[in-house]
């Protein structure tokens, strides 16, 4: 647990507290939006309305809504005075929380727009300008801005360190365990434990092919030198030595996959341990990725989406999937079956494309409609 000590170097845990409050409120706001879309036709939730679902389901929906709206209100109260410290992405998340809270605010319900409602004395945009000037002239404004910059800097450092830990720790554990622990142990016990070596029909076929090529090379070299082809006894003696070498290679190759599997398991355990001991830091990392992704322009988002889809579900993706599956099969010691590869290519990219289109329709259309419009334009759509 020594790698967690660097978190204390930042002194103040305010960044983690703000991210925690914002994440809870944002997730609760998204939950309310999903309940509205699924059960109320994308309209506000009304407890008095009878739904065409069982009573228990409606009760569960209302219970989730009450808990989520309370979390949104509590998060909004905590973050209201720290608005100046938030970056643009966090401000968008806070605005979503505000919109959900205002939608279910009693004041908003009583002040719904009617024909007899008195107009505002000044436009809201002009009031917003006055409020912005007031915040800029506030004597504590400079300290607030500096605190916000420090919090974002600390969040960036935390995110980069956690990202390096998630990448380097599993790789180091895999390589060190395979070289110094798993490899020698498997080589020691493989002759006595048959399950530590895979069946070797494919390895035997490769060895036979190498032996045939070796025999042809001996005869070819003799013809090039102008010598007579070796006799049957000499040829048999040389082929016997080569066969013994090929058998040793096949035995070593048969345990190669077991070593890879055990090393991958140890790397997975190391990755899980890092995740368990860095849960708070992972929340900061998620906010960092959200800021990086949502900070892109609409054209950059559309470009990234098209690049991703063309690589994994595009016209040329079958070649890439074939190479990837061949590498995975070789890594784990399985023969690369052509029928399985063709079946995988015929089904998985189609499922992936369907999920991706559903994500665009259900989520991206609501979060960033302009990105969807740019995406259609870049794809040549109408």
């Amino acid at each position: 647990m020594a790698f967690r000590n660097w978190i204390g170097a930042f002194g103040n845990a305010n960044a983690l507290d703000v991210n925690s409050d914002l994440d809870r409120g944002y997730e609760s706001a998204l939950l309310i939006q999903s309940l509205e879309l699924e059960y109320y036709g994308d309209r506000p939730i009304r407890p008095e309305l009878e739904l065409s679902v069982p009573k228990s389901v409606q009760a569960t929906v209302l219970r989730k809504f009450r808990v989520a709206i309370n979390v949104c209100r509590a998060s909004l109260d905590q973050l209201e005075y720290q608005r100046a410290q938030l970056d643009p992405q966090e401000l968008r998340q806070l605005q979503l929380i505000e919109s959900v809270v205002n939608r279910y605010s009693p004041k908003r319900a009583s002040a719904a727009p009617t024909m007899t409602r008195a107009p505002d004395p000044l436009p809201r945009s002009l009031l917003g300008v006055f409020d912005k000037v007031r915040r800029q002239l506030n004597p504590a404004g400079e300290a607030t801005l500096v605190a916000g910059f420090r919090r974002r800097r600390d969040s960036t450092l935390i995110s980069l360190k956690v990202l390096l830990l998630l990448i380097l720790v599993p790789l180091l554990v895999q390589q060190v365990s395979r070289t110094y622990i798993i490899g020698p142990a498997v080589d020691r016990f493989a002759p006595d434990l048959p399950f530590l070596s895979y069946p070797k029909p494919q390895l035997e076929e490769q060895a036979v092919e190498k032996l045939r090529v070796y025999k042809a090379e001996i005869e070819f070299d003799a013809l090039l030198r102008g010598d007579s082809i070796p006799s049957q006894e000499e040829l048999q003696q040389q082929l016997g030595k080569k066969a013994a070498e090929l058998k040793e290679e096949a035995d070593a190759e048969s345990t190669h996959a077991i070593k890879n599997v055990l090393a991958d398991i140890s790397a997975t355990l190391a990755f899980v341990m890092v995740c368990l001991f860095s849960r708070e830091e992972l929340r900061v990392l998620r906010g960092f990725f959200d800021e990086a992704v949502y900070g892109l322009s609409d054209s950059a988002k559309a470009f990234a989406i098209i690049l991703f889809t063309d690589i994994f579900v595009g016209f040329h993706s079958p070649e890439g999937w074939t190479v990837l599956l061949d590498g995975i099969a070789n890594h784990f010691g399985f023969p690369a079956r052509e029928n399985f590869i063709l079946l995988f290519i015929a089904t998985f990219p189609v499922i992936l494309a369907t999920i991706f289109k559903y994500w665009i329709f259900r989520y991206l259309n609501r979060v960033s409609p302009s990105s969807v419009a740019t995406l259609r334009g870049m794809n040549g759509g109408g």
Side-chain angles (χ1 to χ4, degrees):
M1 294 190 298
F3 68 91
R4 288 178 54 88
N5 293 335
W6 52 263
I7 194 64
F10 299 111
N12 192 0
N14 185 46
L16 294 177
D17 295 338
V18 172
N19 279 312
S20 179
D21 293 334
L22 186 61
D23 287 342
R24 286 197 299 267
Y26 185 64
E27 291 173 358
S28 300
L30 292 178
L31 174 60
I32 292 175
Q33 283 190 339
S34 65
L35 294 177
E36 292 174 349
L37 184 63
E38 185 172 357
Y39 294 100
Y40 291 87
D42 205 12
R43 296 179 180 179
I45 296 175
R46 296 168 55 189
E48 72 277 3
L49 184 64
E50 292 291 336
L51 300 178
S52 58
V53 295
K55 296 291 185 180
S56 58
V57 175
Q58 184 171 357
T60 302
V61 170
L62 294 177
R63 184 171 64 253
K64 289 181 179 179
F65 164 72
R66 295 188 185 97
V67 173
I69 194 64
N70 289 333
V71 172
C72 288
R73 289 168 179 165
S75 300
L76 188 60
D77 293 339
Q78 293 291 333
L79 298 169
E80 186 64 32
Y81 300 101
Q82 298 174 338
R83 185 184 297 267
Q85 301 181 20
L86 303 180
D87 54 46
Q89 169 58 21
E90 292 171 338
L91 281 176
R92 284 192 289 268
Q93 295 179 351
L94 182 60
Q95 289 170 0
L96 175 63
I97 299 173
E98 285 181 329
S99 65
V100 172
V101 171
N102 292 334
R103 191 155 60 244
Y104 296 98
S105 175
K107 295 181 180 180
R108 181 183 183 276
S110 61
T114 61
M115 294 297 294
T116 60
R117 181 185 174 185
D120 294 329
L122 290 175
R124 293 187 178 181
S125 58
L126 185 59
L127 294 175
V129 173
F130 291 152
D131 185 65
K132 181 178 179 181
V133 173
R134 180 186 60 80
R135 290 198 303 267
Q136 290 177 347
L137 296 177
N138 186 4
E142 182 178 357
T144 303
L145 290 176
V146 172
F149 171 77
R150 289 176 177 172
R151 191 184 63 82
R152 288 190 291 271
R153 180 197 61 186
D154 295 347
S155 299
T156 302
L157 291 175
I158 292 173
S159 302
L160 293 178
K161 289 186 177 182
V162 171
L163 186 61
L164 288 176
L165 286 175
L166 292 175
I167 295 175
L168 294 180
V169 170
L171 287 178
L172 291 176
V173 169
Q174 183 192 38
Q175 295 299 321
V176 172
S177 62
R178 192 184 190 282
T179 304
Y180 298 103
I181 300 176
I182 297 175
V186 171
D187 293 337
R188 168 65 180 83
F189 296 105
D192 302 327
L193 302 175
F195 69 89
L196 289 180
S197 60
Y198 283 168
K200 294 175 284 189
Q202 185 181 13
L203 298 177
E204 292 175 354
E205 293 176 2
Q206 296 176 1
V208 170
E209 179 63 21
K210 291 179 181 179
L211 193 63
R212 185 187 64 80
V213 173
Y214 179 72
K215 177 182 178 182
E217 289 176 351
I218 293 176
E219 296 175 350
F220 183 72
D221 291 339
L223 292 176
L224 287 180
R225 293 192 303 268
D227 299 337
S228 59
I229 297 177
S231 62
Q232 187 67 24
E233 291 78 7
E234 295 176 350
L235 189 61
Q236 186 174 2
Q237 184 179 5
Q238 296 183 26
L239 292 179
K241 295 180 180 179
K242 186 64 177 179
E245 296 177 1
L246 293 176
K247 181 181 181 304
E248 293 179 359
E249 292 180 3
D251 293 338
E253 187 70 20
S254 66
T255 61
H256 181 75
I258 287 291
K259 297 176 183 178
N260 289 338
V261 171
L262 296 178
D264 291 343
I265 292 175
S266 63
T268 303
L269 293 177
F271 181 83
V272 172
M273 293 296 293
V274 173
C275 293
L276 290 178
F277 287 109
S278 305
R279 283 175 290 186
E280 291 297 330
E281 291 82 351
L282 288 177
R283 297 174 70 91
V284 179
L285 178 62
R286 187 180 66 176
F288 175 79
F289 279 135
D290 288 343
E291 180 182 353
V293 172
Y294 287 103
L296 297 175
S297 64
D298 296 335
S299 300
K301 291 178 185 176
F303 173 80
I305 292 173
I306 293 175
L307 179 64
F308 177 83
T309 53
D310 285 350
I311 290 176
F312 292 99
V313 298
F315 180 74
H316 298 287
S317 62
E319 290 81 0
W321 285 113
T322 301
V323 174
L324 180 62
L325 292 175
D326 285 340
I328 293 175
N330 182 64
H331 180 76
F332 291 110
F334 298 120
R337 302 295 182 183
E338 183 179 0
N339 292 336
F340 172 78
I341 293 177
L342 293 177
L343 179 63
F344 182 90
I345 294 174
T347 55
F348 183 76
V350 177
I351 298 173
L352 191 63
T354 304
I355 295 174
F356 194 77
K357 291 177 181 178
Y358 178 78
W359 173 78
I360 292 177
F361 170 76
R362 186 71 180 268
Y363 179 74
L364 192 62
N365 240 346
R366 296 166 59 92
V367 175
S368 182
S370 56
S371 298
V372 178
T374 305
L375 178 63
R376 291 175 180 172
M378 294 178 68
N379 273 326

